[in-house]
Amino acid sequence: MKKVMMGNHAISYGATLSRVQVIAAYPITPQTQVVELLSEIVADQKLKAEFIKVESEHSAMAACIGASSAGARAFTATSAQGLALMHELLHWAAGARLPIVMANINRAMAPPWTIWSDQNDSLSQRDTGWMQFYCQSNQEVLDSVIIAYKVAEKVLMPVMIILDAFSLSHTYESVDIPDQALVDKYLPPFDYKYKLDVQNPHTYGGLTTPEWYMEFRIKMHEAMDQALVEIKKEAVAFKKVFGRYYDTVDPYMVDDAETVLVTSGTAASTARYAVDQLRAKGNKVGNLRMRVLRPFPFADVREQLKNAKKVIIVDRDISYGYHGIWAQEVKSALYGHSQVPVWNFIAGLGGRDIFPETFYDIIAQVGKKKKPDQELYWVEVKK
Amino acid sequence: MKPTLPLEELMSPGHLACQGCGAGIAMRTTMKAIGQDAIFTFPACCWTVIDGPFPYSCLEVPLLHMAFEATAATASGIKAAMDTLGKGKTTICGWAGDGGTFDIGLQALSGAAERNNDIFYFCYDNEAYMNTGIQRSGATPYGAWTTTTPVKHFKKEVKKSIDDIVAAHKVPYQATASVAYPEDLYKKLIKAKEIRGFKFIHILAPCPPGWKAKPEDTVKLARLAVQTGVFTVYEVENGKYLQTIKTPTRKPVLEYLKLQGRFKHLKENDVAEVQKLVDSRYAELEKRFSEK
Ligand SMILES: Cc1ncc(C[n+]2csc(CCOP(=O)(O)OP(=O)(O)O)c2C)c(N)n1
Ligand code: SF4
Ligand SMILES: [Mg+2]
C-alpha cells in the first residue's frame, strides 16, 4: 500500500512492521513525530508493545538495554543532544551485544542552539560499536528499520538508522508500506539466546579482568565483520521479497566518471541533479552515496572509486582540527590502494542548504588542479 | 525453635564483600524474600565487585550489570519486556548503592517512580561512595569524615532525605530497613511482592572500612542507628506511615557515633549538633506515624 508520509512517520511504520515489543523514547525536535505516531499505534493496540515514556534519552537507552537483555525487540529514536546524552549507553548496548535499533535524526550540535541538520551528532558516535545506516529517502528509512533488525539479530550488534533533519524527517514522499505478512516472513520473531532467564540464570556485564576483556572486544569486531557480509546478503534477500535494493554504497554514474562526488544522506539527491547538469555540459562527474558507515565497506569504496581521476568528499560534518569525518574514512580506505587525489569540502553545517550550485562551486574550485592545495575547503561561508 | 527466616540461601558463599559488609547482609535477607523468580540489575557500586568477577556470580538469579545512573530505567525496561513476553509474574529488582540512588541515579529513580513502574528499587545505604574509596555522597550524614570531607572540613550538610523525595512521588509502597532487623525486612518484602507498582526499599547497611568500624560491630551499629533515631525504620503504604521498629526511648547518638572512626574528630558541641539534627528529624517522622 502506498502512502504519502514524512520521514519520521516512515520510521514509525518501519518499527511497527518490525513488531517491536518495547519502545522507550524521549521527545526532541526533529524526532517528535516518530514517537507521537508510535504512541498512538501502541495505544490503539495496533502493535502489541510496551511504550515507556521515560524522563530522558539516557533512560530511553537504559530501558532499551533492559528490555533487549530480557529478550524483547527494543526500539528508540532520538537526535543530536539526545544522542549525545546516550553516549555512555551506546557503548553499553554494543558491548552487551544487544540487537537494539534506533533512529537518529541528524541535527547539528549546540551551542549555539540549532535544530537544523548536519551529521556531527551521529558521526561522533562512530566508535561506540553501533552500525550506522544513512538514508536518502523515506522509503529507504522504512525499509532500513526492518533490515536493521534482521542484521542486528543475526550478529548481535545494535543499528542506528540515520536521516537528515527536515530535508527528510519532515519531507513528505510517497512510500510503499510493505505487507505485514511479507515482513513477518522476512523478519521472524527473535529468540535471544543470552536473555535474562529465571530458568537459566546468568550474570551479564560483570567485572572482567584484563585476562578476558580483550576476548569480548575481538568478538565485537568479528561480529561487525560478519555484519558487512549480512548487510550485503540482506540487500539481495530484501530485494527478492520487496523489490528494493540497499547496498553499503549507492553509486550514480560512477563507472565512467572522472570526478566522483562522495556524499551521504539527502545531499546525494542534490548531487545527482548536479551530476546530470554537469554531464549535459560534458563534464564527466558521478556521485557515490555512502550508506553504511559501520561496518565500513572498504572493498566497495575501493571498487567504486577505482576509475576516478579525482575524488571530492563533501562532508556535512567536521572534526575540528582535522578533516570531515567521511573524508577520513574514505581516504583511509583508499590509502595504499589508489593514487587518486582526494579533495575535502565542508558544506551545509547547521542546516545550511546544499544546492546544486554548491556542487557547481565545488567542481569549479577543483577545476583543473592536479591535487588539493589545502587540507580542506569550506564552501559558502561568510568571512 | 522455629526459624524466623527461610533457611534456603540464594546468595552463595565465595562473594567478594569485605568482612562485616552490611550490603552483603542486606542482599542475603532480600533474596530470601524475593526468591528465584526474579531478575536483578545493578549499577556501578560495591555490589559490582561483591557479586564476583566474570564468569562467577554469587546470586542464583539472572543479573544485568548496568551503568551507574541507570538502575531504575533499566529495571523499567526489563519489566516492560517481561510483560510483553507474557512473563509478568517475575519480580524485577533494581539494586543500587546510596550514590547510585541519592545522587547520580536520582533522575531515573524519579522517572520510574512517577511512572509507577511495577518494580522493586532497593537502595543499600552505606552513606558514601565506597566502591571508589569512601567519597561523600548525598547520603553521608552531617559530621562524617570521608576522603572528600576530610577531618578538618568534615561534612557540614545533612543527609538528603531520599525517603521524602520518593514519598513525594506517591508510590504505592516504600519502606526503610536496617540489616540488624532481618525479620522486619523480610516481612516487608513478602508483603510488597503482592503490591503492583513502584516499591522503594531503603536499607541501612554499615560498611566497616568506610565507617572505620570493627567488622564485628556491623549489626550492632545497624541496631544502634535505629535505637538512637539516627535511622528510623518504617513503611509507607498508600501514604500511611507506620513505624515497624518502635523506639519509645531513644539512646543518645553518642553511643552510635563513638563506635565509628568516621566521627572520631567530632567535639562535644558537634555531637550536640548531630543530636539536635536527629531529634528534629525524628520529631518530623513521629508526627507522620501518629497521623490517622
Ligand atoms: C558515570 C559514572 N561516574 C562515576 C563512576 C565511578 N563510580 C563507580 S561506583 C561509584 C560509587 C558508588 O557509590 P554507591 O552508589 O554509594 O555504592 P557503593 O560503592 O557505596 O556500594 C562511583 C563514583 C561510574 N562508574 N560511572
Ligand atoms: S567497602 Fe563497604 S560496602 Fe563495599 S564491600 Fe566493603 S564493607 Fe561492603
Ligand atoms: Mg554507598
Side-chain angles (χ1 to χ4, degrees):
Chain A
M1 184 185 74
K2 286 216 173 188
K3 197 176 156 110
V4 174
M5 66 175 82
M6 69 193 313
N8 278 345
H9 287 170
I11 300 170
S12 319
Y13 282 110
T16 306
L17 286 164
S18 302
R19 294 194 190 278
V20 299
Q21 292 162 308
V22 174
I23 302 162
Y26 191 78
I28 181 168
T29 303
Q31 153 268 33
T32 45
Q33 294 81 9
V34 179
V35 290
E36 285 166 6
L37 180 58
L38 275 172
S39 58
E40 199 177 307
I41 290 172
V42 173
D44 288 349
Q45 298 183 332
K46 288 184 188 140
L47 173 67
K48 191 178 169 288
E50 293 283 325
F51 194 137
I52 316 176
K53 285 139 199 175
V54 284
E55 80 300 327
S56 76
E57 288 87 352
H58 195 281
S59 286
M61 188 45 65
C64 284
I65 288 169
S68 186
S69 300
R73 200 170 267 164
F75 178 80
T76 187
T78 190
S79 179
Q81 312 298 130
L83 185 68
L85 186 60
M86 284 179 186
H87 177 74
E88 178 196 27
L89 297 188
L90 297 184
H91 281 281
W92 205 286
R97 306 297 302 274
L98 299 170
I100 298 167
V101 173
M102 160 165 66
N104 181 68
I105 324 296
N106 273 141
R107 159 178 155 178
M109 294 298 300
W113 276 118
T114 168
I115 52 168
W116 295 277
S117 191
D118 75 35
Q119 297 182 334
N120 254 85
D121 60 345
S122 55
L123 287 170
S124 55
Q125 305 301 338
R126 184 187 63 177
D127 302 333
T128 54
W130 283 64
M131 288 179 246
Q132 293 199 1
F133 302 170
Y134 288 80
C135 300
Q136 191 197 359
S137 71
N138 291 351
Q139 184 71 61
E140 182 181 347
V141 167
L142 187 152
D143 293 344
S144 292
V145 174
I146 300 166
I147 296 169
Y149 278 109
K150 188 79 182 271
V151 174
E153 289 168 3
K154 274 194 176 167
V155 302
L156 302 184
M157 294 295 276
V159 183
M160 212 183 285
I161 303 296
I162 298 151
L163 53 151
D164 291 306
F166 302 111
S167 50
L168 210 51
S169 68
H170 288 62
T171 299
Y172 281 74
E173 293 182 336
S174 168
V175 174
D176 178 46
I177 304 178
D179 192 37
Q180 180 72 61
L182 287 180
V183 177
D184 288 345
K185 224 171 129 205
Y186 174 79
L187 182 68
F190 175 59
D191 186 17
Y192 187 36
K193 193 175 157 198
Y194 306 104
K195 63 177 172 281
L196 298 163
D197 182 359
V198 291
Q199 307 302 332
N200 181 23
H202 285 282
T203 294
Y204 299 100
L207 187 67
T208 299
T209 59
E211 194 188 346
W212 285 110
Y213 186 87
M214 268 184 87
E215 283 62 31
F216 282 107
R217 288 303 173 255
I218 193 171
K219 279 177 182 296
M220 285 169 74
H221 187 70
E222 286 166 357
M224 276 299 212
D225 284 348
Q226 185 57 30
L228 197 56
V229 177
E230 298 297 339
I231 290 165
K232 297 197 74 80
K233 234 164 56 188
E234 290 310 322
V236 177
F238 190 86
K239 180 159 194 270
K240 216 181 260 169
V241 186
F242 303 99
R244 295 179 290 270
Y245 181 76
Y246 304 103
D247 209 330
T248 58
V249 293
D250 175 18
Y252 182 72
M253 300 210 172
V254 159
D255 289 343
D256 66 336
E258 286 171 4
T259 303
V260 177
L261 289 161
V262 180
T263 59
S264 65
T266 52
S269 328
T270 317
R272 284 160 194 216
Y273 175 83
V275 164
D276 291 346
Q277 304 305 309
L278 288 162
R279 286 226 169 210
K281 292 189 190 129
N283 197 343
K284 278 194 168 173
V285 182
N287 170 241
L288 183 66
R289 177 170 74 94
M290 299 296 299
R291 183 168 177 273
V292 176
L293 173 76
R294 285 290 180 275
F296 193 79
F298 288 103
D300 288 336
V301 170
R302 286 175 195 144
E303 175 64 23
Q304 294 296 336
L305 296 179
K306 71 174 182 212
N307 300 328
K309 306 274 178 295
K310 293 177 182 181
V311 170
I312 302 172
I313 300 159
V314 182
D315 266 290
R316 212 168 188 171
D317 60 87
I318 171 75
S319 174
Y320 312 104
Y322 201 58
H323 292 145
I325 294 163
W326 287 106
Q328 300 168 28
E329 299 288 312
V330 173
K331 272 188 177 185
S332 85
L334 294 176
Y335 186 79
H337 293 263
S338 161
Q339 296 296 325
V340 67
V342 179
W343 277 259
N344 185 200
F345 284 81
I346 307 296
L349 300 188
R352 186 161 301 180
D353 280 321
I354 296 181
F355 293 114
E357 289 72 23
T358 314
F359 291 106
Y360 305 151
D361 177 31
I362 288 169
I363 294 287
Q365 280 197 52
V366 170
K368 295 208 177 340
K369 283 180 199 143
K370 292 272 180 290
K371 58 183 186 47
D373 47 14
Q374 280 172 227
E375 285 296 337
L376 88 172
Y377 302 79
W378 289 69
V379 272
E380 297 165 353
V381 182
K382 293 186 254 318
K383 285 275 174 327
Chain B
M1 197 180 88
K2 197 169 164 287
T4 54
L5 292 175
L7 296 176
E8 196 195 355
E9 301 288 354
L10 294 174
M11 176 179 156
S12 41
H15 60 74
L16 299 183
C18 311
Q19 276 184 35
C21 173
I25 305 173
M27 177 63 88
R28 183 180 166 207
T29 311
T30 297
M31 294 300 296
K32 285 175 186 279
I34 296 293
Q36 248 180 319
D37 189 6
I39 296 174
F40 274 71
T41 182
F42 294 172
C45 59
C46 268
W47 256 101
T48 311
V49 179
I50 298 172
D51 182 52
F54 169 82
Y56 302 104
S57 172
C58 68
L59 299 178
E60 309 269 340
V61 291
L63 164 59
L64 182 65
H65 288 278
M66 228 326 215
F68 193 15
E69 60 289 285
T71 311
T74 309
S76 304
I78 297 172
K79 176 63 186 166
M82 297 301 277
D83 281 346
T84 48
L85 297 171
K87 296 186 271 193
K89 286 234 288 285
T90 300
T91 307
I92 311 302
C93 304
W95 177 274
D98 48 289
T101 303
F102 289 57
D103 297 340
I104 199 167
L106 184 60
Q107 175 181 315
L109 166 62
S110 171
E114 183 270 331
R115 294 188 300 271
N116 197 22
N117 289 141
D118 185 15
I119 56 174
F120 270 97
Y121 188 106
F122 291 93
C123 172
Y124 70 92
D125 182 3
N126 52 25
E127 303 194 316
Y129 301 157
M130 296 311 179
N131 181 261
T132 38
I134 325 173
Q135 293 83 26
R136 63 97 81 188
S137 77
T140 306
Y142 174 90
W145 160 91
T146 68
T147 57
T148 50
T149 49
V151 165
K152 252 182 18 195
H153 310 282
F154 64 76
K155 188 164 183 265
K156 298 289 178 353
E157 302 79 27
V158 296
K159 185 181 177 101
K160 190 191 284 188
S161 178
I162 192 70
D163 304 302
D164 288 357
I165 293 172
V166 173
H169 293 74
K170 311 246 179 286
V171 299
Y173 186 82
Q174 73 181 93
T176 60
S178 154
V179 296
Y181 302 91
E183 290 87 354
D184 170 74
L185 172 59
Y186 179 82
K187 241 174 74 189
K188 285 170 173 164
L189 298 183
I190 292 297
K191 172 172 163 182
K193 264 174 78 172
E194 301 309 316
I195 297 170
R196 300 278 66 83
F198 196 81
K199 296 156 288 267
F200 181 74
I201 314 291
H202 177 191
I203 310 170
L204 184 71
C207 161
W211 293 14
K212 298 201 173 301
K214 292 193 200 129
E216 63 269 31
D217 280 349
T218 291
V219 172
K220 192 171 175 187
L221 279 169
R223 190 177 303 119
L224 274 171
V226 178
Q227 291 171 337
T228 54
V230 165
F231 192 91
T232 311
V233 176
Y234 60 93
E235 65 181 5
V236 191
E237 214 179 330
N238 296 315
K240 173 117 190 62
Y241 281 72
L242 178 72
Q243 189 176 21
T244 56
I245 304 292
K246 300 256 185 327
T247 45
T249 50
R250 284 182 293 123
K251 294 186 173 167
V253 291
L254 186 62
E255 286 191 33
Y256 171 69
L257 301 180
K258 71 182 181 199
L259 293 179
Q260 307 171 56
R262 64 173 173 156
F263 295 116
K264 202 173 66 187
H265 53 276
L266 295 186
K267 308 257 175 355
E268 214 170 300
N269 58 325
D270 300 324
V271 173
E273 180 62 24
V274 174
Q275 185 68 60
K276 216 173 83 191
L277 288 166
V278 167
D279 289 347
S280 98
R281 172 67 182 160
Y282 193 83
E284 225 175 87
L285 284 170
E286 252 187 334
K287 250 192 255 155
R288 296 184 209 165
F289 297 147
S290 60
E291 270 167 20
K292 284 280 161 303

